[in-house]
């Protein structure tokens, strides 16, 4: 900068100006600072506590063993606990949920932004928000009592027709309720509003000028969406998907109701069986300190995974062209 | 167009008669839908060309996706409504589960203890978390401290904390080591409120911060230019401008809190009788009541659970409607014009990961 | 001291219109218009010097127009005068700004007090949307903790001075946002006047308004002349010519900070300016 300043006027130093804050402002600064800071401290405490109290079980089991062992038995001496069986279930359920929900959610978002009238749009936005506000418990009981039975023929049909795909096969005469597939469907419906609202948000920000330009060039509506809206909203779709994945990974109550919560690594997602980290924690309350420490460790692993997913979501969204103003 | 659709439908009947091999309604639905799409495409392509046909077919797909979302919502609401009404009687709000055996009809007994527990726990957690989250939101948006970035990162991280871990955390910190020493550290409503606060703080902080950010900077400048202190500016200009948005954010935060089940399992624990004291003894809450009852083997308990689910759903819907009502755009009713006008901001539905 | 400036302003004035007796405020700024003078004023944003060594006297009770092409530091200079500049992160400054002969940046002087004495009207009308018209006018009292026993009188007088009273007298309790753009801007002027500032800064107050509203604002400025010192930034040459007594021409050459090229009475600036660049600018040959 100094190089650009002409020689005639030597660089000047700014004057130091102090504005003594008023007393109210000093109180204001202190109060807001301490509330912000205490939130930070609070979370640090939660994180540290999770770490230290996981220490007991992790120390005894060993981190690597804990991460790679499938079974969870505290009735034997020494206890054999591991998180792999839970993690596999968590990831499988979340992936099924997201795979099912993303196409529907994105299309529904398109319907809201580009196919519905202004009035219908407002109603639909409200309904999607409402769907997001419904507690996961209600989705859980709905899935547990209604969907679970309704889905059995579906599962059977899929396994009959697509059984040649390894993970869709079922053994004859196996119970098809309480499967990871059904849990995935329920969680998928639960995360549907997340994907829909994030995608809607970015689609609605697609530049109207470019949209009109596409239509003016004689493109059909779908052509316009394919060339303008979808490329523009790509970041939002990916970000919304990651966000939904994060939510699906942490979902507790629905999977606690739907899955038997017995840790295992199964490749038959249509069959009875499966466990997820959060569901497993929810169904194993009131244990001894060692169990709780183990559950803490499992919770910590889950927390780290959801944190990573969420952070990736926000990075993806903020890097994309459409994501600048989008709140996750 | 109608003819094309009609042809498609007729074809469908033929096709799914062969494909639907008695495997339940879903198979029928899928094959019908796919053949319908194919027929529709062929019929339109024949008449208007491929480009238009693609466009129209996609329109159908998109509309049906919207339909799926609506159907999911409708199915959920109707299902809970129908099952819940079966067991819901006025007595639900006046009695608890005293003397209830699996043989009694589901209309006997009630969930008043759960309603009271939910109200107390939610109110307590609101009292615990609201000042802190409002302060933190103001800190994030109105101060120039170097600590804003770390605080924001931590708040974002905290909102990703799985809700079950919040409950487990409170259990491990207070209940497990101290329950023998004092009742206040036992399973009780206060502990439930603490764990709910851990969920509420990041939710409310983030939504309120978004709302505060929507207040135009011009208003802050105008206030400061009139000789106001920063504290005055926030109190007399920023808060009133953002008031509707802030209330909406807080009400939605409450709605989320009311329906949370996972953190309660380890903290409130659940109880079949009335316990109006949130500081002593395990307590019921509506979500716990539902969760515990639907898992019981007897049909009457499941029906009672659904009565609770219905009440819970009505509460959440009422809160949601309240949030919408408070957050509605009052300025829109003034004479429509294109003049510049700072709008009272409204938050979009915050999504908790 | 302030009485003298008011007298000088009056004796200077072409209009004999007397300063109305203002509604009494408790804890407000001292009465009357005050001269404001910049001496060697510089401004930085981060490392970038945007304004260099501005010396300019804006006499009490008169209208001074700041003209010049975009990005030459006029608005920055304006914000320097009432200490709004320092609110921008990374902003720095040098030099002095004398209000009634006293440096507003003097150590220990509070920005709040300075801003109460120097009102400001912004480019975009920004009435507080959560307040009624009446509350908007009185907002300055609430925000700067000034007391007044006759609030109704103050509301009427301030709106009257801003030329808005007749239009809004029947709907004082409606929200300020329901007014038209020009009315909103005059409401903002009334809001600034209610605390009885010595100086009123206007940052392109008409750039967002239609010609009719612009004319109303210009009339208002004409009526306020002598009651309060007015400094107005404008891109509109005709406007500067119509409303101001003095003019200052700001210009920033490429990659250089903004400077005052010339300042003189408006008549001289628009007829026989000393500097060629001024002539070119006022005749619309660039900028």
């Amino acid at each position: 900068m100094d190089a650009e300043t002409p020689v005639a006027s030597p660089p000047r130093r700014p004057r130091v100006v102090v504005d003594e804050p008023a007393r109210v402002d000093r109180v204001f600064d202190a109060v807001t600072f301490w509330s912000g800071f205490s939130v930070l401290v609070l979370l640090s405490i939660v994180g540290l506590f999770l770490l230290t109290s996981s220490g007991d079980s992790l120390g005894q089991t060993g981190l690597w063993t804990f991460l790679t062992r499938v079974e969870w038995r505290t009735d034997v001496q020494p206890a054999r606990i591991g998180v792999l069986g839970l993690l596999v279930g968590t990831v499988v359920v979340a992936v099924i949920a997201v795979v099912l929900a993303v196409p529907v959610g994105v299309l529904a978002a398109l319907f809201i932004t580009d196919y519905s009238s202004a009035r219908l749009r407002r109603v639909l936005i409200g309904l999607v928000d409402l769907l997001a506000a419904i507690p996961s418990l209600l989705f859980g009981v709905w899935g547990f009592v209604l969907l679970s039975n309704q889905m059995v023929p579906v599962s059977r049909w899929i396994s009959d027709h697509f059984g040649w795909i390894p993970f869709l096969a079922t053994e004859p005469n196996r119970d098809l309720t309480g499967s990871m597939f059904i849990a995935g469907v329920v969680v998928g419906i639960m995360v549907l509003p997340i994907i829909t609202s994030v995608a809607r948000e970015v689609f609605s920000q697609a530049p109207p000028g470019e949209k009109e330009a596409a239509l003016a060039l004689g493109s059909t509506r779908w052509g316009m969406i394919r060339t303008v809206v979808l490329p523009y909203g790509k970041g939002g779709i990916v970000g919304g998907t990651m966000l939904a994945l994060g939510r699906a990974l942490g979902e507790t109550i629905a999977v606690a109701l739907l899955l038997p919560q017995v840790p295992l690594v199964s490749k038959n997602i249509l069959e009875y069986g499966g466990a997820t980290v959060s569901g497993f924690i929810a169904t194993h309350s009131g244990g001894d300190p060692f169990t709780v420490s183990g559950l803490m460790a499992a919770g910590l692993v889950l927390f780290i995974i959801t944190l990573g997913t969420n952070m990736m979501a926000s990075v993806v969204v903020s890097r994309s062209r459409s994501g600048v103003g989008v709140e996750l | 167009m109608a003819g094309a659709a009609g042809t498609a439908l007729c074809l469908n009947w033929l096709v799914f008669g062969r494909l639907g091999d008695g495997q339940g309604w879903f198979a029928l639905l899928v094959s019908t839908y796919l053949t319908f799409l194919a027929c529709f495409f062929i019929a339109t392509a024949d008449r208007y060309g491929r480009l238009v046909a693609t466009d129209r077919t996609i329109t159908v797909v998109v509309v049906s996706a919207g339909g799926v979302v609506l159907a999911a919502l409708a199915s959920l609401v109707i299902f809970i409504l129908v099952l819940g009404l079966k067991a819901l009687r006025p007595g639900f709000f006046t009695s608890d589960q005293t003397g209830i055996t699996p043989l009694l009809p589901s209309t006997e007994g009630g969930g008043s203890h759960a309603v009271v527990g939910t109200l107390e726990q939610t109110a307590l957690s609101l009292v615990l978390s609201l000042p802190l989250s409002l302060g933190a939101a103001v800190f994030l948006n109105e101060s120039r401290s170097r600590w804003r970035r770390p605080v924001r990162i931590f708040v974002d991280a905290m909102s990703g904390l799985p809700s079950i871990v919040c409950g487990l955390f409170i259990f491990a910190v207070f209940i497990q080591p101290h329950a023998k020493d004092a009742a206040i550290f036992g399973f009780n409503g206060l502990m439930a409120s603490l764990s709910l606060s851990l969920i509420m703080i990041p939710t409310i902080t983030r939504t309120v911060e978004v709302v505060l950010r929507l207040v135009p900077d011009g208003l802050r400048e105008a206030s400061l230019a009139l000789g106001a202190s920063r504290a005055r500016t926030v109190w007399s200009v920023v808060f009133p401008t953002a008031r509707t948005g802030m209330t909406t954010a807080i009400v939605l935060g409450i709605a989320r809190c009311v329906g949370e089940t996972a953190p309660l399992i380890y903290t409130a624990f659940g109880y079949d009788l009335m316990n109006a004291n949130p500081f002593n003894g395990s307590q019921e809450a509506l979500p716990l009541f539902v969760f515990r009852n639907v898992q019981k083997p007897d049909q009457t308990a499941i029906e009672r659970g659904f009565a609770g689910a219905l009440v819970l759903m009505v509460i959440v819907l009422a809160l949601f409607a309240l949030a919408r009502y408070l957050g509605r755009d009052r300025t829109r009713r003034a004479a429509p014009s294109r003049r510049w006008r700072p709008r009272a901001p409204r938050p979009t539905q915050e999504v908790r990961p | 001291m302030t009485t003298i400036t008011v007298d000088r302003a009056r004796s200077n004035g072409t209009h004999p219109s007397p300063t109305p007796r203002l509604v009494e405020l408790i804890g407000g700024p001292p009465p009357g218009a005050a001269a404001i003078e910049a001496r060697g004023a510089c401004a930085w944003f981060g490392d970038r010097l945007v304004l260099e060594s501005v010396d300019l006297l804006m006499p009490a009770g008169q209208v001074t127009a700041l003209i010049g092409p975009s990005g030459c530091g006029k608005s920055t200079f304006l914000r320097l005068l009432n200490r709004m500049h320092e609110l921008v992160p990374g902003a720095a400054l040098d030099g002095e700004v004398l209000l009634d002969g006293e440096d507003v940046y003097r150590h220990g002087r509070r920005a709040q007090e300075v801003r109460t004495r120097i009102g400001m009207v912004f480019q975009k009308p920004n009435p507080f949307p959560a307040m009624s018209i009446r509350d908007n006018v009185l907002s300055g009292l609430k925000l700067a903790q000034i007391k007044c026993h006759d609030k109704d009188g103050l509301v009427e007088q301030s709106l009257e001075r801003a030329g808005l009273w007749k239009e809004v007298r029947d709907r004082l309790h409606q929200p300020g946002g329901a007014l038209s753009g020009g009315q909103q801007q005059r409401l903002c002027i009334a809001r600034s006047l209610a605390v009885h500032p010595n100086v009123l800064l206007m940052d392109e107050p008409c750039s967002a308004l239609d010609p009719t509203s612009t004319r109303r604002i210009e009339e208002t400025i004409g009526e306020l002349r002598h009651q309060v010192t007015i400094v107005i930034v404008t891109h509109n040459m005709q406007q500067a010519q119509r409303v101001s007594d003095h003019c200052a021409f700001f210009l920033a050459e490429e990659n250089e900070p903004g400077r005052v090229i010339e300042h003189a009475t408006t008549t001289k600036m628009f007829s026989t300016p000393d500097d060629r660049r001024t002539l070119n600018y006022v005749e619309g040959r660039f900028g």
Side-chain angles (χ1 to χ4, degrees), chain C residues 201-218:
Chain C
L201 309 178
M202 299 176 131
D203 189 358
E204 300 181 42
C206 304
S207 65
L209 305 180
D210 61 275
T212 322
S213 308
T214 303
R215 218 190 59 226
R216 287 290 294 117
I217 303 266
E218 287 177 12

Side-chain angles (χ1 to χ4, degrees), chain C residues 67 214 218 234-242 270 281:
Chain C
I67 57 173
T214 303
E218 287 177 12
T234 178
H235 272 130
N236 182 332
M237 289 307 107
Q238 284 76 31
Q239 185 171 60
Q241 223 167 346
R242 281 192 298 263
F270 280 88
Y281 184 73

